[in-house]
Amino acid sequence: MTTPVRRIRVAWIVGAAFLIFTAIPAAVGFVTDWFWFQEVGYQTVFTTQLATKVSLFLAVALVAYFFLALNARIAGRGSSRAPVLWRMSPELPPVDVAAGLTRLAAPIVVVLALMFGLAAGGDWMDVLQFMNRSAFGLADPVFGRDVGHYVFALPAIASLIGTLRGLVIVALLLSLGLHLIRGRVTLPPQRVGLEPPADKHIASLLVTFLILTALQIWFVRMPGLLYSTTGPLIGASYADLNARYPALHLIAATALIGVALIIYGMLRRKIVWFTLISAGAYVAVTVVAGGLYPWAIQRFVVAPTELTRESTQLLSHIRATRTAWGLDKVETRDLSGDARLTLQDVRANAPTIENVRLWDRDPLRQTFGQLQEIRTYYDFVSVDDDRYLIDGRYRQVMLSPRELNPESLPTRTFINQHLTFTHGMGLTLAPVNEVTSEGLPVLFIKDLPPVSSVSLKVTRPQIYFGELTDEHVFVNTRRAEFDYPSGDANITTRYNGSGGVRVGSFFKRGLFAMRFGALNILLSGDINSDSRVLYNRDIMRRARLALPFLTFDEDPYMVVADNGELKWILDGYTSTSRYPYSARLSDGTNYMRNSVKVVVDAYNGAVTAFIVDAADPLARTYAKIFPGTLKPLSEMPSDIRTHMRYPNDLFRVQTALYATFHMDAADAFYHREDQWQTPVVDAKSENQSQFLRHIVMRLPDEQQAEFIFMAPFTPKGKDNLASWMVARNDGANYGKLRVYRFPKQSLVYGPRQITSRIDQDTDIARELTLWDQRGSEVIRGELLVIPIEKSLIYVQPIYLRAEGGRIPELKRVVVAYQNRVVMAETLEAGLAQVFGGEVGRSAQRDSAVAGAVPVAPTDTSAAVTKASGGVGSTLAAEARAHYDRAIAAQRSGDWAAYGREIRELGEVLRQLSGGASR
């Protein structure tokens, strides 16, 4: 076979492989992605992103090609001084390597140009942000530029200069190689030099590179000082402003002096030596002025008097961080720290007490799983807090969607996974504080299909889009979809929504078969042209594809609309790592706003984004880039708007930062003299945010109970409570942050101290130990910090799980206030013991365990004495008998008898007290 024929066949094989493994899959993905963006109505995002990437690719690739080709042509024209011959074997004639390498320059230029174009396409968002930038209305404290310059313009400028410098470096290397091949570069042992026309060519590239370097220093590196980490802050420090900043001017000037030296060397035919002089001077100035001098200033001038030198910069750092993270608008309220609660205060805050969350998420999810999954292929992924107006009462509830888990299907066939089992079904919803007599949660919405015992109803329970729906499914096929089990039968349904892409023609069907790698899509007789394919069904992935400029909170949550439909709400963040002087997270983020709420329909998959914070410059910029994508908050349905929650991830970051940045004085911030922390009860616990909770409560000095997100603080390294922060969620107060501070001189018990008091209570320890000894597992719930008026109470649920069982049951509630700790069967009984009067500890617990009315505040022994004789003596003996039987029942573990005897004991004691008062 001749060599030309062999080359043609190899080319065909390579081309076919490229089409099969790269070009065709990419084209299929592109077309089916376009179908999906049409379905969700976000064609603007798709076309804008595509047009910008293609335009950048073409523009940069063409510029790179012409620039590199021009330099290759200049370096390659003319004849070489002598051919470079290489003989592969004695039988073959010698080959001119120089000529061969010169011919390779053309394809190398094409490949390099394509690489530059592809790299530029990745900067599409930076370019769009620059073209549609919005002003922040705030100036940086050093250069006086609007913050928008650093967020929107600086990245584009840095990319432009970086691309140009990269082009010049590549052109320089390519040209040197070609000149070397053609013998225009002399190397040792001869005198190092460049011969015409190489000297002028290389000199022009070196001059261009040095000019671009000076521009980069002035327009990129100098503004970059505002992100410096030198000193005790993020941002330009004293050494940066007084040493590194002047040094950068000197380094840029050195680069321009190098330009003059190279031009002079070119004229004198000594370009190599003057280039070396320029490079040596640049390196020396960079090391001495840009490195050693700032280090000496930091070490010998700043470090000995750091606070004095850095005070101004520290204030800039504090102000920028508070503004960038929304902490500058935190309201503060001072509490006396010595306020005492009474039973009347507790009763006046009935909405708070009625909504104390006695069910922790994990035990409740386990209970939901055992009681309400119904079938093994259903799963409760998470449990979320929310609030609803139920039967006329403002109630905090916990709910969990019942999603279909394809991994748990008994038979994972194509028909089962993609045609029959297509959706989850309904949800389970329970109030946070109600318990059945068996210690299980009261379920407002339960079973399949969902049945509601309250005014809140679910009318369309199917969940086609959720957190577990990561596989594609086909609906409206000839095969009925499984809806829910009913006894031994299965109820089927047919999809009536607008979600998904219509299958249509055979060609379109073939595209989906290639996308999903499933030949059955083509072969199945159940799929027809009217069928619809639902893909990208995972709500997080769906939102990220539709809105690629946002990041999302990791905790999406479901709400029940007024019409009974199920919707998902996702919190979308606008963020950047380019806010000057602001503290940053581990991923570099130093500015964040929850500016967008995204609503995803669980049935149709419709994605609707609403701007919550219209003042956010990033949100305004994105709205200009993608017109019509972000809708005003006024268009959000009111029944969905009432369920907006302050986002978890943002509040967690804000509380962590506020623990330090509530100190706005430079000296206090520097010394960390009033630093806080979120409470830590168990250092080994994986949940370091266990005290961040949603609560329905009436804030101090407010008139109405509201749904808030709360976090307590303790002083750094101490256990007493210092303050607590709330994020408000309801109505016009949505998004407002408020901090309530206790006086530094007051002692308010913190969670760790309360936990220690509970552990040290002998009565509580004895009962918990008794349960453990009988083979049951005692699960201590999360300690709840409940603000009431201007004070606090602590509540901790106690769950019991039988040996070998999987269902935690709520059996006791611990209530703590100041020095008093009690454990009762119900929260109300525990509160009655704590605030009902001066009663002995055992009597308090006995009354509460039985769930009886609180014992009146009196001295029982005195009552017995005054009532001695006659009926009083009889009642005293009867009380003693009930008490003895209760103790015996407790020891035997007969809790039913124990409760009955304690109730009767309470009744006898009330009779005794009444006789004594008379």
Side-chain angles (χ1 to χ4, degrees):
M1 184 180 297
T2 62
T3 300
V5 174
R6 184 183 294 111
R7 289 177 178 173
I8 293 174
R9 290 194 173 183
V10 170
W12 273 103
I13 293 173
V14 172
F18 175 78
L19 284 174
I20 294 172
F21 296 107
T22 303
I24 293 178
V28 169
F30 175 83
V31 173
T32 52
D33 281 345
W34 170 246
F35 292 156
W36 183 85
F37 276 95
Q38 283 184 309
E39 174 214 341
V40 295
Y42 283 76
Q43 299 97 315
T44 300
V45 174
F46 184 88
T47 55
T48 301
Q49 182 175 346
L50 177 65
T52 308
K53 285 183 176 181
V54 171
S55 299
L56 284 174
F57 170 78
L58 292 176
V60 174
L62 287 174
V63 170
Y65 174 77
F66 285 117
F67 181 74
L68 294 176
L70 176 64
N71 281 274
R73 183 178 179 81
I74 294 173
R77 68 186 175 188
S79 59
S80 59
R81 184 172 57 189
V84 180
L85 301 177
W86 180 48
R87 189 185 296 274
M88 299 180 62
S89 67
E91 294 80 14
L92 297 176
V95 178
D96 186 352
V97 177
L101 292 176
T102 302
R103 286 194 294 270
L104 283 176
I108 289 175
V109 165
V110 172
V111 172
L112 291 173
L114 292 175
M115 293 174 63
F116 273 101
L118 290 173
D123 296 328
W124 67 278
M125 182 56 77
D126 289 341
V127 173
L128 288 176
Q129 287 183 341
F130 174 74
M131 296 172 61
N132 298 274
R133 58 191 179 276
S134 302
F136 275 69
L138 299 170
D140 79 90
V142 176
F143 303 106
R145 298 190 184 101
D146 187 87
V147 172
H149 171 79
Y150 302 93
V151 174
F152 301 123
L154 187 58
I157 295 172
S159 296
L160 175 61
I161 297 177
T163 300
L164 292 176
R165 290 180 81 235
L167 267 176
V168 173
I169 291 173
V170 171
L172 182 62
L173 295 175
L174 180 64
S175 300
L176 277 172
L178 290 173
H179 284 304
L180 178 64
I181 290 171
R182 292 191 168 271
R184 297 167 187 157
V185 180
T186 57
L187 300 173
Q190 302 179 27
R191 182 178 64 87
V192 177
L194 293 172
E195 297 182 1
D199 54 351
K200 293 182 180 179
H201 183 202
I202 298 302
S204 64
L205 290 174
L206 289 172
V207 165
T208 304
F209 177 76
L210 288 176
I211 292 174
L212 289 172
T213 298
L215 292 175
Q216 185 186 53
I217 292 172
W218 280 321
F219 293 106
V220 179
R221 292 182 61 186
M222 285 184 182
L225 292 176
L226 301 185
Y227 310 107
S228 171
T229 56
T230 305
L233 66 144
I234 304 293
S237 65
Y238 181 91
D240 292 322
L241 296 175
N242 294 278
R244 191 165 281 111
Y245 179 63
L248 288 174
H249 279 291
L250 183 59
I251 294 170
T254 303
L256 295 182
I257 292 172
V259 170
L261 288 174
I262 291 173
I263 294 175
Y264 179 76
M266 179 183 65
L267 297 176
R268 295 291 303 272
R269 301 290 301 274
K270 295 181 179 180
I271 182 173
V272 173
W273 296 110
F274 280 94
T275 299
L276 292 176
I277 292 172
S278 300
Y282 183 85
V283 171
V285 172
T286 301
V287 172
V288 176
L292 295 178
Y293 178 59
W295 173 84
I297 293 295
Q298 179 67 31
R299 176 65 183 84
F300 299 108
V301 176
V302 177
T305 56
E306 190 172 50
L307 177 58
T308 303
R309 301 287 183 181
E310 301 285 16
S311 292
T312 302
Q313 290 70 244
L314 281 171
L315 289 175
S316 298
H317 175 50
I318 294 169
R319 284 193 290 266
T321 300
R322 289 168 64 93
T323 302
W325 291 99
L327 302 177
D328 57 325
K329 298 179 182 178
V330 174
E331 304 172 8
T332 58
R333 299 284 190 275
D334 290 322
L335 302 174
S336 64
D338 56 2
R340 296 185 62 85
L341 289 179
T342 65
L343 188 60
Q344 287 70 30
D345 293 327
V346 174
R347 290 171 177 168
N349 287 268
T352 302
I353 301 303
E354 291 174 358
N355 290 284
V356 171
R357 200 184 83 183
L358 298 180
W359 285 102
D360 290 350
R361 291 188 177 188
D362 190 54
L364 187 61
R365 188 178 63 84
Q366 295 178 36
T367 302
F368 281 173
Q370 294 300 311
L371 300 179
Q372 285 292 303
E373 280 184 0
I374 313 297
R375 292 288 190 271
T376 57
Y377 40 77
Y378 287 125
D379 201 356
F380 292 105
V381 180
S382 61
V383 177
D384 291 303
D385 293 270
D386 206 344
R387 71 285 195 196
Y388 288 86
L389 193 64
I390 297 178
D391 296 331
R393 297 170 59 195
Y394 192 58
R395 303 294 300 272
Q396 183 175 348
V397 300
M398 303 185 78
L399 60 90
S400 184
R402 185 186 292 104
E403 295 201 51
L404 181 75
N405 187 352
E407 301 292 331
S408 300
L409 288 174
T411 306
R412 299 186 62 192
T413 63
F414 172 80
I415 291 177
N416 278 351
Q417 285 186 259
H418 303 291
L419 275 69
T420 302
F421 293 90
T422 57
H423 58 273
M425 190 65 178
L427 52 81
T428 299
L429 183 145
V432 295
N433 65 331
E434 292 191 21
V435 187
T436 67
S437 58
E438 294 83 11
L440 301 176
V442 173
L443 303 181
F444 283 171
I445 299 179
K446 60 181 180 179
D447 297 342
L448 290 174
V451 177
S452 174
S453 60
V454 293
S455 57
L456 185 65
K457 309 293 183 183
V458 176
T459 59
R460 194 168 67 184
Q462 291 83 3
I463 303 174
Y464 284 89
F465 300 86
E467 295 182 83
L468 289 180
T469 52
D470 54 354
E471 293 190 359
H472 64 279
V473 296
F474 289 86
V475 296
N476 291 346
T477 65
R478 295 185 177 92
R479 182 170 295 275
E481 297 174 50
F482 170 80
D483 201 24
Y484 60 89
S486 178
D488 294 331
N490 290 331
I491 305 301
T492 60
T493 188
R494 183 176 178 83
Y495 184 71
N496 294 316
S498 58
V501 177
R502 186 172 177 270
V503 172
S505 66
F506 183 80
F507 174 74
K508 197 172 178 181
R509 189 166 166 177
L511 290 177
F512 288 120
M514 294 181 65
R515 177 187 177 102
F516 301 120
L519 184 61
N520 286 331
I521 295 175
L522 277 176
L523 302 178
S524 175
D526 294 321
I527 300 174
N528 55 51
S529 60
D530 291 326
S531 299
R532 306 182 74 86
V533 55
L534 279 57
Y535 54 108
N536 295 330
R537 296 193 300 142
D538 179 276
I539 55 173
M540 292 292 283
R541 173 175 170 78
R542 197 171 183 85
R544 289 181 178 129
L545 286 173
L547 304 160
F549 48 88
L550 298 177
T551 57
F552 289 92
D553 194 274
E554 293 300 321
D555 185 25
Y557 56 99
M558 176 172 281
V559 301
V560 182
D562 285 352
N563 61 1
E565 297 179 356
L566 302 180
K567 312 282 186 179
W568 293 96
I569 297 182
L570 291 76
D571 289 289
Y573 298 120
T574 55
S575 59
T576 182
S577 59
R578 305 159 187 156
Y579 198 101
Y581 270 103
S582 175
R584 61 176 69 111
L585 305 182
S586 58
D587 63 355
T589 302
N590 62 5
Y591 172 94
M592 181 180 285
R593 290 289 185 274
N594 175 218
S595 296
V596 180
K597 300 285 186 182
V598 179
V599 179
V600 180
D601 190 299
Y603 189 79
N604 289 320
V607 180
T608 312
F610 301 93
I611 294 183
V612 179
D613 185 0
D616 175 29
L618 279 167
R620 297 202 308 268
T621 295
Y622 292 135
K624 287 188 284 186
I625 294 173
F626 306 103
T629 299
L630 304 177
K631 297 183 178 181
L633 183 61
S634 58
E635 295 186 17
M636 178 183 284
S638 59
D639 57 332
I640 302 300
R641 189 169 178 175
T642 57
H643 292 284
M644 291 196 312
R645 287 188 339 198
Y646 201 83
N648 291 2
D649 293 346
L650 178 59
F651 191 60
R652 187 177 296 108
V653 172
Q654 287 177 316
T655 53
L657 289 171
Y658 195 78
T660 300
F661 286 90
H662 73 277
M663 297 177 285
D664 53 8
D667 54 346
F669 181 87
Y670 179 81
H671 295 297
R672 300 294 197 269
E673 60 185 43
D674 189 27
Q675 188 169 5
W676 300 340
Q677 66 181 16
T678 52
V680 177
V681 174
D682 183 2
K684 299 179 181 179
S685 174
E686 296 181 359
N687 183 12
Q688 296 302 315
S689 303
Q690 58 180 305
F691 293 102
L692 274 65
R693 292 193 187 85
H694 293 93
I695 306 173
V696 170
M697 63 167 291
R698 181 171 64 84
L699 294 173
D701 303 323
E702 297 290 340
Q703 301 301 316
Q704 298 291 331
E706 55 187 289
F707 189 61
I708 59 101
F709 202 5
M710 182 233 183
F713 293 105
T714 62
K716 183 74 172 180
K718 296 184 179 180
D719 296 329
N720 60 290
L721 211 63
S723 61
W724 46 282
M725 174 187 273
V726 297
R728 306 174 73 178
N729 292 275
D730 290 349
N733 292 319
Y734 174 82
K736 293 182 179 179
L737 302 177
R738 182 180 293 179
V739 170
Y740 293 90
R741 301 179 300 193
F742 294 106
K744 295 180 182 179
Q745 67 274 14
S746 66
L747 174 61
V748 179
Y749 287 131
R752 192 166 188 169
Q753 293 168 318
I754 293 296
T755 299
S756 297
R757 296 188 68 84
I758 294 173
D759 293 340
Q760 295 166 5
D761 187 284
T762 55
D763 294 338
I764 295 176
R766 184 172 59 249
E767 290 197 38
L768 298 184
T769 302
L770 178 63
W771 281 336
D772 274 333
Q773 290 175 348
R774 296 181 63 85
S776 299
E777 179 187 2
V778 175
I779 303 172
R780 293 177 63 166
E782 295 179 351
L783 185 64
L784 307 175
V785 185
I786 311 296
I788 295 182
E789 297 296 339
K790 297 184 178 182
S791 188
L792 297 167
I793 63 171
Y794 289 87
V795 175
Q796 184 175 46
I798 304 294
Y799 309 97
L800 190 64
R801 183 159 50 199
E803 184 176 8
R806 297 183 179 180
I807 303 179
E809 299 176 1
L810 178 62
K811 289 300 184 183
R812 295 291 185 272
V813 179
V814 176
V815 180
Y817 172 68
Q818 295 183 345
N819 292 321
R820 308 189 69 182
V821 179
V822 301
M823 185 169 73
E825 278 194 355
T826 64
L827 174 62
E828 291 77 7
L831 292 171
Q833 291 185 53
V834 172
F835 298 104
E838 297 297 325
V839 183
R841 171 65 59 82
S842 60
Q844 288 178 29
R845 177 167 298 108
D846 294 344
S847 173
V849 166
V853 178
V855 180
T858 183
D859 187 333
T860 304
S861 60
V864 174
T865 302
K866 290 183 180 181
S868 59
V871 175
S873 299
T874 303
L875 290 174
E878 187 177 347
R880 180 66 185 181
H882 285 306
Y883 175 77
D884 291 339
R885 286 195 292 269
I887 294 301
Q890 184 187 41
R891 290 171 179 169
S892 64
D894 188 350
W895 297 107
Y898 175 77
R900 184 175 60 255
E901 295 297 334
I902 290 298
R903 283 194 296 272
E904 294 180 2
L905 172 61
E907 180 61 32
V908 172
L909 289 176
R910 275 193 294 276
Q911 294 180 33
L912 280 170
S913 298
S917 63
R918 288 191 296 272

